[in-house]
Amino acid sequence: MAAMLAIKGPQTLVSARHVLLRQGPWLAGHFITTSARAYHSKLYESADKAIEGIKSGDTLLIGGFGLCGIPENLLKAIARRKDIEQVTAVSNNAGTSDYGLGTLLQSRQIKRMVSSYVGENKEFARQYLGGELEVELVPQGTLAERVRCGGAGIPGFYTLTGVGTQVETGGIPIKYSSDGQQVLIASDPRETKVFGGRKYLMEEGITGDYALIKAWRADELGNMVFKYTANNFNAPMATAGKVTIVEAEEIVPVGELKPNDIHVPGIHVHRVIKGEVYEKRIERLTLRQSTTDTKELPASMKQRIHIIKRAAREFKDGMYVNLGIGMPVLASNHIEPGITVHLQSENGILGMGPFPRPGEVDADLVNAGKESVTVLPGGSCFSSDVSFGMIRGNRVDMTILGGMQVSQAGDLSNWVVPGKIIKGMGGAMDLVAAPNSRVVVTMTHNDKNGNPKILKENSLPLTGVKCVDRIITDKCVFDVVPGKGLLLRELSYGTTVGEIKAITGCGFEVASDVAETY
């Protein structure tokens, strides 16, 4: 039996016919051979060894989406290194308060986050609003493309995403005072340029000192394969680190990964480890319901179901549709029989299926809301930069998403209440900026205090300008007519035109054929 040979000299080639690649501890700097060909192994013996060289003040690119596909072992190793402080972490979000990247927030090792979504991480939001953490909020698709461009040696690019919002004009808070009352650091305005009569923003590429990546399978050369939606930001970030460190669930011999199956080639990778332990938490375990009986549901949920059932009537046979997190994603439960709708999730799914049954749950398969999902036959999974290329490239026919406010001109606000609710824009700005994609907003007609959410002008920061085509509420359906304003198209059962006028914060026209339809 041939044994693996280790040669310390970097110029030495090993002459051997076969190597048993599964034996022994592998160390970086060793050469391994198969069929008399020599390879430089990138394997390290542990996560602690692999992160050597990371220091305070470094910029870390961290793969993952929520808790899906995060480099668990590498993050734990950094958390053990209390001498690593004041880092800038580039990641779509920061996991949860007690796991993933959130543990580095708890240990106060992060100075600045570059992210698209704060979401439900209360510690993330608390540190941000309390002036303890700098947060540079970036639209999700822009973040993915900035990293992709950084890895491809492209210094910048132009995009429609964020035009007319604070992304363009600047002023998004990056750092608050300790009492949360003052903005000490704010985002800068973007350079703009007109192409084809439309304004675009210039965004700069992102690179990092180190990239921390999670793979499903990898070989000693650093070639990687991801599983389902664990691809997400891992693929583009693997290309943009000066030093890219990969942890994999399984290390396989060179040659076992077929060339056509490799997602990221080893040229981008410098260090590889086999992860010791994988907890692989699911942030929002969601199972398929066995019944559709709504009799026992609370009034708020009945209201939501009422809205989404009407929203489901927007689906047309053959459509490619993106459903926003929360209420919109539930519309997929009400697609009419005989209609085929291809659901796209911006974290990297086309052909998204229903929530799984017990026993079908896979931690590597979640939607944009971090909920466990399935993929239908014929579906596919891909990286976040590829996903947003579909969106910006007008391949998605329709987007259904939630809203906090919509103006009579179709301006949308849905990502922040300054100083109070910090969700982050996520992928919403990218979705509503696609010029040929129909945008449908689902929301309650009024907020919990009875204030109108459909207004003459938005009071909250904008997600998109003149981007909404239709508004579906629990009371009615409005169309946004370009240059004219709102047109009342449908009424919910039991609702009158007079009532709609009383609870809406702007004027509107009434269609001649308006009727109660849902």
Side-chain angles (χ1 to χ4, degrees), residues 148-343:
R148 189 199 71 82
C149 284
I154 299 171
F157 62 97
Y158 285 95
T159 178
L160 287 168
T161 301
V163 170
T165 74
Q166 279 188 300
V167 174
E168 176 188 348
T169 61
I172 298 176
I174 292 176
K175 182 176 177 63
Y176 284 98
S177 59
S178 58
D179 61 3
Q181 300 302 306
Q182 291 182 305
V183 176
L184 303 181
I185 305 174
S187 65
D188 295 324
R190 296 294 193 269
E191 176 187 322
T192 64
K193 189 171 182 178
V194 175
F195 296 91
R198 299 183 67 98
K199 184 196 292 185
Y200 288 73
L201 308 184
M202 201 276 282
E203 296 282 0
E204 296 182 2
I206 292 177
T207 58
D209 298 296
Y210 291 84
L212 309 182
I213 306 302
K214 161 65 180 7
W216 177 36
R217 306 175 79 202
D219 65 20
E220 292 88 342
L221 294 177
N223 295 310
M224 285 187 284
V225 175
F226 303 109
K227 185 181 178 187
Y228 296 131
T229 57
N231 194 329
N232 53 62
F233 277 83
N234 277 300
M237 287 186 173
T239 71
K242 295 176 183 176
V243 176
T244 293
I245 309 172
V246 174
E247 65 170 77
E249 294 181 47
E250 182 183 3
I251 304 294
V252 302
V254 172
E256 186 164 321
L257 299 179
K258 302 307 180 186
N260 285 340
D261 296 335
I262 292 169
H263 291 127
V264 176
I267 192 172
H268 298 292
V269 177
H270 303 84
R271 306 173 188 176
V272 181
I273 65 161
K274 184 182 186 303
E276 293 182 14
V277 178
Y278 283 105
E279 189 171 341
K280 296 181 74 169
R281 294 187 189 180
I282 299 175
E283 195 164 338
R284 299 185 66 187
L285 177 61
T286 310
L287 299 176
R288 198 178 311 182
Q289 300 296 316
S290 59
T291 177
T292 57
D293 184 13
T294 62
K295 292 180 181 179
E296 303 301 320
L297 293 176
S300 60
M301 181 56 71
K302 291 180 180 179
Q303 185 183 51
R304 287 160 60 90
I305 292 174
H306 182 67
I307 296 171
I308 63 176
K309 282 185 175 181
R310 172 57 190 85
R313 286 165 45 190
E314 298 294 307
F315 296 130
K316 308 299 179 187
D317 192 32
M319 268 188 167
Y320 290 91
V321 179
N322 181 286
L323 299 178
I325 64 175
M327 184 161 54
V329 77
L330 299 177
S332 61
N333 296 332
H334 304 281
I335 298 174
E336 293 182 12
I339 288 181
T340 298
V341 177
H342 308 279
L343 298 181

Side-chain angles (χ1 to χ4, degrees), residues 18-264:
H18 301 287
V19 175
L20 185 59
L21 297 171
R22 297 187 187 274
Q23 283 192 350
W26 295 306
L27 300 177
H30 289 180
F31 281 91
I32 59 176
T33 68
T34 59
S35 301
R37 183 179 176 187
Y39 299 98
H40 185 278
S41 175
K42 299 174 182 179
L43 285 161
Y44 277 58
E45 61 185 1
S46 68
D48 294 303
K49 289 288 186 181
I51 67 165
E52 287 183 354
I54 296 178
K55 62 186 184 301
S56 295
D58 279 347
T59 295
L60 309 181
L61 311 180
I62 301 171
F65 186 90
L67 298 180
C68 180
I70 62 171
E72 298 181 38
N73 293 278
L74 293 172
L75 290 173
K76 289 176 182 177
I78 291 176
R80 290 192 288 269
R81 287 278 306 278
K82 302 306 181 185
D83 58 316
I84 300 176
E85 301 176 312
Q86 297 290 299
V87 300
T88 294
V90 181
S91 175
N92 181 65
N93 43 16
T96 59
S97 297
D98 65 341
Y99 204 70
L101 194 53
T103 60
L104 302 188
L105 289 176
Q106 291 279 10
S107 58
R108 303 299 195 273
Q109 291 172 272
I110 299 175
K111 176 184 178 181
R112 175 178 287 207
M113 287 290 307
V114 182
S115 305
S116 79
Y117 194 69
V118 178
E120 291 71 40
N121 190 326
K122 294 181 180 179
E123 179 62 16
F124 190 173
R126 188 198 67 76
Q127 288 190 24
Y128 175 41
L129 292 174
E132 300 173 27
L133 177 70
E134 297 176 9
V135 178
E136 183 182 343
L137 288 169
V138 182
Q140 191 176 134
T142 296
L143 180 61
E145 188 65 10
R146 287 181 67 184
V147 173
R148 189 199 71 82
C149 284
I154 299 171
F157 62 97
Y158 285 95
T159 178
L160 287 168
T161 301
V163 170
T165 74
Q166 279 188 300
V167 174
E168 176 188 348
T169 61
I172 298 176
I174 292 176
K175 182 176 177 63
Y176 284 98
S177 59
S178 58
D179 61 3
Q181 300 302 306
Q182 291 182 305
V183 176
L184 303 181
I185 305 174
S187 65
D188 295 324
R190 296 294 193 269
E191 176 187 322
T192 64
K193 189 171 182 178
V194 175
F195 296 91
R198 299 183 67 98
K199 184 196 292 185
Y200 288 73
L201 308 184
M202 201 276 282
E203 296 282 0
E204 296 182 2
I206 292 177
T207 58
D209 298 296
Y210 291 84
L212 309 182
I213 306 302
K214 161 65 180 7
W216 177 36
R217 306 175 79 202
D219 65 20
E220 292 88 342
L221 294 177
N223 295 310
M224 285 187 284
V225 175
F226 303 109
K227 185 181 178 187
Y228 296 131
T229 57
N231 194 329
N232 53 62
F233 277 83
N234 277 300
M237 287 186 173
T239 71
K242 295 176 183 176
V243 176
T244 293
I245 309 172
V246 174
E247 65 170 77
E249 294 181 47
E250 182 183 3
I251 304 294
V252 302
V254 172
E256 186 164 321
L257 299 179
K258 302 307 180 186
N260 285 340
D261 296 335
I262 292 169
H263 291 127
V264 176

Side-chain angles (χ1 to χ4, degrees), residues 429-450:
M429 283 190 177
D430 305 272
L431 287 159
V432 302
N436 296 332
S437 179
R438 179 172 173 80
V439 175
V440 177
V441 171
T442 57
M443 63 182 187
T444 57
H445 205 95
N446 300 86
D447 65 22
K448 62 182 180 180
N449 297 317

